[in-house]
Amino acid sequence: MQTRAIKALRTTTIASAVGAVLLAGQGAGAAQAAPSRPDAGTAARAAAMRIGTFNIDAGVPVDRWTQTVRDFSTQVDVAGLQEATGRTKVAALAAMPGISTYVAPHYRQQPIFWNSSLFSLVGGRAPKTAGGRQVEKLNGGVTHQETTRATVARLRSKATGRTISVIDVHLLPNAVREGRRVRGVPRRFAMYEEQVRKLGKIVAKEKKWAHGRVWLLGDFNDNYVADKKKHKRKLAYATMHRHGLVAAWQAVKGKLRPGQGSGTRSGSYLDVIWSPERAASVAVLREETFRVGQHYPLVSTYPMP
């Protein structure tokens, strides 16, 4: 595939440049390049906020990872990463110009970063979503799964003084598939179920702190379309719906088309951005620079708080 250059546009053009395409009814898989980060002089005038999530495989070399994240950072104002293992990657993220980051001291896999001209950090934490335990391997036997946590960054708008909360999560793989539990892995499913339940509690706490302005994003390791259809009470869609959150995928008019999600192999809708309000637009970024693993980045837009 021929590499397509990522064009630099202002944040204020998002609703027309991205939203006009996707909200007109085209699939969420459209290769839509989102605008670049505004400079400090446009921050107060920005009409839309771009929020993204990107799971970059842990095995991607540091130099390639750094370039990919740098390119991704030009497409968002706030974002979460998953599988960002190792001190070197965390240091590379912190050194990127124009952004600030929150990385939990003892849980580095899920850093959150943001445009430093738009937001400042109020505080951060890494609440536990499930305790460590023995779970099933895919090829038989059991293995120890470490304790899992969400990353939470509490931010304040430099333009308005309003606060927002951003929650970044990576749920356990191979526990749920197509909106149902995977057979033969009861321990793994029980851990996934606990992650979702505790995540609901984290959402409730952050909604209270941020006066409702909460974004939950990450890799949910289940197909959102199937999860919504099956609507199992203890899984992600039903749980987040009870907590008043709406998935960014709802910004696509009509039905979500099979194979047009954020998964690079199956096109499944693995990654989700949740918010109390409907997104203005949602896009899967399929440029060559983002073809580094099993996920494409997902970006959605909302009114600037």
Side-chain angles (χ1 to χ4, degrees):
M1 178 178 177
Q2 187 175 7
T3 302
R4 181 164 65 88
I6 301 175
K7 295 182 180 180
L9 302 172
R10 292 185 184 275
T11 300
T12 50
T13 66
I14 293 173
S16 56
V18 179
V21 174
L22 294 177
L23 295 180
Q26 295 190 14
Q32 176 68 37
S36 68
R37 185 189 307 111
D39 57 34
T42 68
R45 300 192 305 274
M49 175 174 61
R50 304 163 300 169
I51 292 191
T53 182
F54 194 5
N55 184 346
I56 306 176
D57 292 0
V60 173
V62 174
D63 55 348
R64 180 67 190 278
W65 185 92
T66 302
Q67 183 59 57
T68 300
V69 174
R70 185 179 293 117
D71 290 340
F72 180 48
S73 75
T74 68
Q75 310 301 297
V76 293
D77 299 306
V78 182
L81 301 170
Q82 299 86 45
E83 297 195 41
T85 54
R87 294 178 181 270
T88 305
K89 290 179 180 178
V90 170
L93 178 63
M96 292 182 190
I99 66 171
S100 297
T101 67
Y102 174 72
V103 182
H106 305 294
Y107 202 75
R108 301 184 182 90
Q109 296 95 327
Q110 294 157 199
I112 295 172
F113 68 88
W114 57 91
N115 179 349
S116 56
S117 72
L118 294 179
F119 298 98
S120 58
L121 180 67
V122 177
R125 63 193 185 104
K128 184 166 68 174
T129 53
R133 69 195 70 185
Q134 297 292 104
V135 299
E136 298 85 358
K137 294 180 179 178
L138 291 183
N139 56 354
V142 296
T143 185
H144 181 71
Q145 173 64 50
E146 299 290 341
T147 294
T148 59
R149 297 179 179 273
T151 302
V152 178
R154 293 176 169 180
L155 307 177
R156 187 182 305 279
S157 167
K158 291 186 176 181
T160 67
R162 293 177 179 173
T163 53
I164 68 170
S165 180
V166 182
I167 307 167
D168 187 13
V169 69
H170 186 185
L171 298 191
L172 193 66
N174 305 310
V176 179
R177 185 176 301 120
E178 294 299 319
R180 294 177 176 175
R181 67 169 68 194
V182 174
R183 293 183 178 180
V185 291
R187 297 179 183 181
R188 184 173 285 273
F189 177 76
M191 187 169 186
Y192 186 98
E193 189 178 76
E194 181 181 344
Q195 288 180 317
V196 174
R197 182 176 67 254
K198 290 188 176 178
L199 189 56
K201 294 181 178 180
I202 295 168
V203 167
K205 183 173 182 177
E206 293 306 309
K207 283 183 73 174
K208 185 176 180 180
W209 179 84
H211 305 288
R213 293 182 290 271
V214 171
W215 280 265
L216 166 64
L217 51 86
D219 177 6
F220 285 76
N221 269 307
D222 189 17
N223 184 4
Y224 166 79
V225 177
D227 189 16
K228 180 182 178 182
K229 182 178 181 180
K230 300 294 192 303
H231 208 113
K232 298 293 184 180
R233 179 174 176 79
K234 295 182 179 180
L235 297 186
Y237 179 86
T239 300
M240 298 313 146
H241 185 74
R242 287 196 301 275
H243 285 281
L245 300 188
V246 179
W249 294 115
Q250 295 294 104
V252 178
K253 290 185 177 180
K255 293 183 179 180
L256 293 171
R257 296 183 296 177
Q260 296 300 305
S262 56
T264 59
R265 296 177 180 177
S266 63
S268 187
Y269 294 79
L270 301 174
D271 304 281
V272 188
I273 299 170
W274 300 88
S275 172
E277 62 181 304
R278 190 184 183 104
S281 67
V282 61
V284 177
L285 307 186
R286 298 176 181 273
E287 282 76 17
E288 189 67 29
T289 185
F290 302 129
R291 294 175 179 268
V292 293
Q294 299 180 58
H295 298 256
Y296 290 116
L298 181 69
V299 177
S300 57
T301 63
Y302 302 84
M304 184 65 73

